[in-house]
């Protein structure tokens, strides 16, 4: 687009007007709005004047330490817009002031996915960095360039004589229209200059030159016609991006000034003042007019102030914003006043630092604009700088800031009031850095040091440190201590409004509940995390989705497990310098194994292992080894599986390998030792897993009665939480044990065993279907015969017994069926396999992969 002159809002709409117009927020006000979080905040505020629910969930995550990706947030906003019932217009004015690539990314996403009921209008002086060419090729954009925005002579006559109240001749109007080239702002300025001027001919004669010079002349001429009090008001309040009566009073320095009345009068006089809300409480100056006013102010206009006094105006504005709860605006005026002490106090936030309350972007922007010597003399700012960088995931720059802060603190007296507190904050930040690396000992050392040094009233940092300590206890297996720390962090963070710590500690609590086999409680806790995380969620919510995925998997809801697992992976990939997405990939590999997709599972595990090795995330190596062992067991590669289980000291995996190798006695001993350790440590989940495998070991040893008793005890523990996959994963041997439990009918767990057997049969049928599809695809590719119709689960059971060499009569006894029924199954099986004899059926079944 060609550069566009500013246009009156009244000019943009037709006589009928749009159904609704998003407004009521400052919009694209200034270059300070290049902060993408601020841009999105204003965008949502405008949209919410149409429908209050639009972007409601995004507001919460914008205040968090690590907001999600632009795509995630815009997806939520687009979805909310699509749910709005009424068509409306969204107007972005002066978009050329936005120089943020992330703002461009957000707007491009909106353009690409815009709901039909939304129409977007962008006013800009420059060609925006948006896919305009693609939209033009699709005929999806209407462009109003400079030629379109010019007033015709008839429009200029109507505007000057009707709207402006002048009495110009057609010749005079034509002269002004030609000299301004129909530019509406120029015509407006010319009309203001002509008001009350007796020598109209002189004004028209001298109205020449380029737009820039003409505008400079007219502003001077307009101002000179205004009273000194109005000129002073315009000049002294032009430092504000938004104007209201109270803040103008504060800047002017006297509560007696009728600022709200003055604003209404300026609006009625059409003096470049635009309302920002329907109540006419907030206004802004026309951008170009405001810029020219500021130019005159800094040049020392007679009705302004001494330029040296301008910082005082910004300080007054800052004080008003702070008193009224607009701390970010207060910081920006403190920065404009170049008052480092004031900016520092605002950033420190009287106990709750500003970056803990959603101001991370502006805080970082101001800190990074300061000379090195300013920060070097203020260790508190260096610590806050490190903390803010940590919150946005810029890990590499954190430690240098901490060291610089420590160097600055060396020069402070040892008994300085906040020296110990700052050292404690440094230790807390280092503990959080160690959390990302899962270094339990470092976390504990730094957390304890932080709690020793931090002031008792520094609750925000003390609470964050309590959470890091809980995570360290979690890593070391001390679940009782972890639960206590997480509970304390939740209680305090809720009380003081420390949102990010509340979210992280609640995730930790959910992990503990899950480990205690309290799956219903854990589910509710993880859903609470998603509420705290907003919509779209902050990336840290990947942990909640991962927890819900694990619980869904254990309850054999593989569709939900896959859904939450994929959401977890998507969010985890948005985190920088972390291994969390690896855990999500390993879980998805587990689901693929359950679905019979061995190749897909192997690919995910191999990719995860490559990443871990390249980036040194050694803590996840045992998890990767455990996943690899499951694949090797499915493939029958027992030596490789045994080697991995020993190398990484994985007792449960080792026992599974020993059972597969026929070493049931060794497996039982391995499991007994692990079970005793789990019971001593209070690890309910590990104890239950050991018990299920012990039942299989006892069965292999011929101790059928003990095996049934053991599996019945495991069922009693598993039933309240709804564990299913825990038993299904052990395959046919476990199914036989469950069958024995149900056959006896004396155990209180018999009904649950029946439920598990039903789930196992369904699972086997799904695996059968998957293998059938794979085999058919393979045979079709090679031109071989394929199985046209699937065998039912009962038919598969009969086929397996035929493969074992059982006679029809023996099959009757095993399955409690009549002989005629078994013979009927034989005929159906032969027909589906396209064979005539038992031996041919077994051979064809093995060829098609129907037999284990």
């Amino acid at each position: 687009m060609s550069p566009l002159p500013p246009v009156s809002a009244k000019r943009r709409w037709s006589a009928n007007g749009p159904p609704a117009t998003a407004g009521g927020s400052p919009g694209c006000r200034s270059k300070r709005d290049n902060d993408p979080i601020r841009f999105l905040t204003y965008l949502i505020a405008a949209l919410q004047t149409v429908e209050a629910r639009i972007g409601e969930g995004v507001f919460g995550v914008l205040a968090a330490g690590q907001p999600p990706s632009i795509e995630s947030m815009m997806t939520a906003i687009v979805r909310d817009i699509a749910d709005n019932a009424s068509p409306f217009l969204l107007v972005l004015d002066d978009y050329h002031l936005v120089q943020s690539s992330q703002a461009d990314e957000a707007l491009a996403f909106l353009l690409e996915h815009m709901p039909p009921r939304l129409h977007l209008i962008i006013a800009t002086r420059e060609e925006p960095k948006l896919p305009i060419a693609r939209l033009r090729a699709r005929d999806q954009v209407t462009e109003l360039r400079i030629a379109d925005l010019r007033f015709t002579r008839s429009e200029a006559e109507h505007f000057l004589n009707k709207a402006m109240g002048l009495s110009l001749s057609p010749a005079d109007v034509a002269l002004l229209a030609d000299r301004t080239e129909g530019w509406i702002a120029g015509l407006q300025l010319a009309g203001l200059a002509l008001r009350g001027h007796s020598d109209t001919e002189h004004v028209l004669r001298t109205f020449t030159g380029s737009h820039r010079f003409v505008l400079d002349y007219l502003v001077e001429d307009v101002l000179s016609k205004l009273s000194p009090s109005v000129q002073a008001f315009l000049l002294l309040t032009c430092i504000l991006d938004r104007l209201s009566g109270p803040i103008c009073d504060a800047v002017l320095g006297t509560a007696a000034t009728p600022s709200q009345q003055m604003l209404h009068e300026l609006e009625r006089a059409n003096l470049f003042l635009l309302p920002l809300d329907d109540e006419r409480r907030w206004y802004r100056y026309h951008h170009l007019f405001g810029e020219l006013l500021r130019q005159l102010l800094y040049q020392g206009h007679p009705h302004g102030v001494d330029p040296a006094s301008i910082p005082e105006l910004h300080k007054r504005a800052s004080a008003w914003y702070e008193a009224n709860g607009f701390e970010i605006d207060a910081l920006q005026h403190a920065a404009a006043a170049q008052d480092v002490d004031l900016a520092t106090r605002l950033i420190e936030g009287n106990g709750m630092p500003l970056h803990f309350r959603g101001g991370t972007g502006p805080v970082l922007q101001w800190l990074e604009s300061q000379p090195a010597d300013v920060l070097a003399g203020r260790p508190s700012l260096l610590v806050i700088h490190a903390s803010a960088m940590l919150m946005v995931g810029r890990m590499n720059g954190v430690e240098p800031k901490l060291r610089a802060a420590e160097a600055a603190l060396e020069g402070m007296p040892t008994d300085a009031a906040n020296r110990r507190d700052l050292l404690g904050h440094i230790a807390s930040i280092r503990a959080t850095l160690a959390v990302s690396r899962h270094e339990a000992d470092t976390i504990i050392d730094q957390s304890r040091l932080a709690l020793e040094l931090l002031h008792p009233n520094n609750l925000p940092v003390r609470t964050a440190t309590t959470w890091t300590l809980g995570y360290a206890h979690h890593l070391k297996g001390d679940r009782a201590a972890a639960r206590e720390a997480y509970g304390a962090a939740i209680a305090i963070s809720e009380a003081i409004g420390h949102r990010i710590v509340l979210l992280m500690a609640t995730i930790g609590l959910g992990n503990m509940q899950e480990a205690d086999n309290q799956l219903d409680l854990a589910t509710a806790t993880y859903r609470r995390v998603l509420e705290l995380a907003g919509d779209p969620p902050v990336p840290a919510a990947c942990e909640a989705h991962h927890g819900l995925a694990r619980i869904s998997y254990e309850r054999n809801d593989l569709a939900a497990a896959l859904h939450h697992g994929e959401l977890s992976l998507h969010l985890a990939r948005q985190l920088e310098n972390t291994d969390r997405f690896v855990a999500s990939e390993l879980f998805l590999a587990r689901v693929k194994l359950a679905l019979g997709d061995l190749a897909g599972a192997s690919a995910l595990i191999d990719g995860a292992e490559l990443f871990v090795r390249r980036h040194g995330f050694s803590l996840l190596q045992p998890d990767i080894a455990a996943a690899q062992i499951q694949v090797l067991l499915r493939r029958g590669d027992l030596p490789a599986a045994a080697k991995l289980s020993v190398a990484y000291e994985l007792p449960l995996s080792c026992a599974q390998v020993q059972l597969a190798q026929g070493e049931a006695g060794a497996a039982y001993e391995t499991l007994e030792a692990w079970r005793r350790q789990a019971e001593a440590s209070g690890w309910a989940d590990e104890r239950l897993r050991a018990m299920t495998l012990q039942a299989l070991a006892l069965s292999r040893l011929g101790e059928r009665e003990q095996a049934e008793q053991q599996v019945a005890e495991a069922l009693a523990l598993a039933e309240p939480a709804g564990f299913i996959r825990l038993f299904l994963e052990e395959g046919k041997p476990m199914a036989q044990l469950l069958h024995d439990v149900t056959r006896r009918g004396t155990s209180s767990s018999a009904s649950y065993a029946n439920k598990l057997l039903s789930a196992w049969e369904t699972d086997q049928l799904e695996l059968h279907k998957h293998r059938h599809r794979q085999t058919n695809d393979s045979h079709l590719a090679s031109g071989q015969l394929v199985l046209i119709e699937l065998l039912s689960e009962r038919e598969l059971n009969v086929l397996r017994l035929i493969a074992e060499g059982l006679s029809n009569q023996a099959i009757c006894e095993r399955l409690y069926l009549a002989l005629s029924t078994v013979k009927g199954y034989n005929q159906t099986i032969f027909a589906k396999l396209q064979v005539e004899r038992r031996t041919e059926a077994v051979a064809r079944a093995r060829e098609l992969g129907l037999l284990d």
Side-chain angles (χ1 to χ4, degrees), residues 102-339:
Q102 289 180 295
D104 290 334
E105 178 188 347
L107 200 53
F109 186 94
L110 180 61
L111 286 168
E112 193 67 27
H113 303 86
M114 196 157 61
R117 56 175 52 94
L118 168 64
H119 295 275
L120 180 64
I121 296 177
I122 304 174
T124 176
R125 298 181 192 175
E126 302 173 358
E127 182 83 26
K129 296 181 177 67
L130 298 170
I132 299 298
R134 185 164 68 246
L135 294 172
R136 190 182 296 128
R138 297 174 182 172
D139 196 24
Q140 293 178 336
V141 61
T142 298
E143 298 175 75
L144 298 177
R145 295 180 176 272
I146 191 167
D148 304 299
L149 293 171
R150 292 172 179 160
F151 268 164
T152 63
R153 290 188 179 182
S154 61
E155 289 172 329
E157 181 178 5
H158 180 88
F159 175 74
L160 291 168
N161 289 337
K162 301 295 184 181
M164 297 291 293
L166 302 174
S167 300
L168 300 178
S169 67
D172 293 338
V173 170
L175 178 63
L176 283 177
D178 289 341
R179 290 187 177 177
T180 60
E181 299 182 59
W183 188 9
I184 304 168
L187 287 169
Q188 187 177 29
L189 286 169
L192 290 171
L194 286 166
R195 276 182 176 174
H197 205 294
S198 58
D199 193 352
T200 302
E201 183 179 351
H202 172 75
V203 173
L204 293 173
R205 188 173 58 251
T206 56
F207 191 74
T208 59
S210 68
H211 290 166
R212 180 182 298 274
F213 296 116
V214 169
L215 195 57
D216 284 346
Y217 163 76
L218 286 176
V219 169
E220 290 280 5
D221 197 47
V222 168
L223 283 176
S224 68
K225 301 296 188 295
L226 299 173
S227 68
S229 61
V230 173
Q231 292 186 51
F233 182 90
L234 293 172
L235 290 164
L236 298 179
T237 60
C238 70
I239 66 163
L240 299 170
D241 287 331
R242 294 174 294 168
L243 301 94
S244 71
I247 192 171
C248 289
D249 288 342
V251 170
L252 294 172
T254 172
T257 304
S259 297
Q260 196 68 47
Q261 179 182 344
M262 177 70 79
L263 290 170
H264 290 322
E265 291 176 357
L266 291 175
E267 183 190 6
R268 283 195 297 270
N270 205 20
L271 198 59
F272 306 103
L273 191 70
L274 306 177
L276 295 175
D277 55 40
D278 294 335
E279 292 78 20
R280 297 311 202 255
R281 295 178 181 173
W282 286 94
Y283 296 86
R284 70 167 175 86
Y285 288 122
H286 186 292
H287 291 316
L288 187 54
F289 186 61
E291 290 168 5
L292 289 170
L293 287 174
R294 285 188 285 275
Q295 180 182 350
L296 294 172
L297 177 66
Y298 280 95
Q299 289 174 350
H301 190 279
H303 295 294
V305 295
D306 183 345
S309 301
I310 294 174
E312 179 60 30
L313 300 179
H314 284 290
K315 290 179 185 179
R316 293 175 187 174
S318 180
W320 187 91
Y321 276 124
E322 181 184 9
N324 286 274
F326 302 106
E327 290 90 350
I328 294 175
D329 295 277
L331 172 62
Q332 290 173 335
H333 279 284
Q338 298 182 0
D339 190 326

Side-chain angles (χ1 to χ4, degrees), residues 470-491:
Y471 186 78
H473 292 316
H474 189 172
L475 288 176
K476 296 180 80 70
D478 190 348
R479 295 178 180 177
R483 276 191 295 272
E484 182 179 356
Y486 288 146
I490 289 171

Side-chain angles (χ1 to χ4, degrees), residues 30 66 88 105 113 133 140 207 274 340 342 348 371 434 466 482 518 529 548 635 684 750 802 813 831:
S30 67
Q66 289 185 335
F88 67 97
E105 178 188 347
H113 303 86
Q140 293 178 336
F207 191 74
L274 306 177
V340 176
L342 176 57
E348 290 176 345
T466 301
Q518 298 174 323
V529 171
L548 291 171
R635 289 175 174 167
I802 291 173
E813 296 171 359

Side-chain angles (χ1 to χ4, degrees), residues 38 154 232 366 408 413 437 727:
R38 193 171 179 85
S154 61
W366 183 80
R437 300 189 294 265
F727 299 92

Side-chain angles (χ1 to χ4, degrees), residues 143 452 618 632 768 842:
E143 298 175 75
E452 177 185 342
S618 58
L632 292 170
H768 168 50
V842 172

Side-chain angles (χ1 to χ4, degrees), residues 461-536:
V461 181
R462 292 186 73 87
T463 305
T465 307
T466 301
W467 165 71
T468 59
L469 199 55
Y471 186 78
H473 292 316
H474 189 172
L475 288 176
K476 296 180 80 70
D478 190 348
R479 295 178 180 177
R483 276 191 295 272
E484 182 179 356
Y486 288 146
I490 289 171
I492 300 173
S493 59
E494 278 185 326
I496 65 175
H498 202 329
R499 188 184 185 90
I500 191 66
V501 171
L502 176 60
L503 184 143
M504 299 307 297
T506 305
I507 289 172
L509 177 63
N511 292 160
M512 295 297 94
Q513 292 167 338
E514 188 182 351
D516 289 340
N517 295 339
Q518 298 174 323
L519 301 192
D520 287 334
L521 277 178
T523 298
T525 300
Y526 289 138
R527 295 200 181 281
R528 168 63 175 151
V529 171
L530 295 181
E531 291 175 4
L532 292 170
D535 181 17

Side-chain angles (χ1 to χ4, degrees), residues 412-422 455:
M412 293 178 62
T414 56
D415 59 348
N418 65 338
R419 186 176 187 275
R420 283 176 57 86
D421 192 64
L422 287 173
H455 192 281

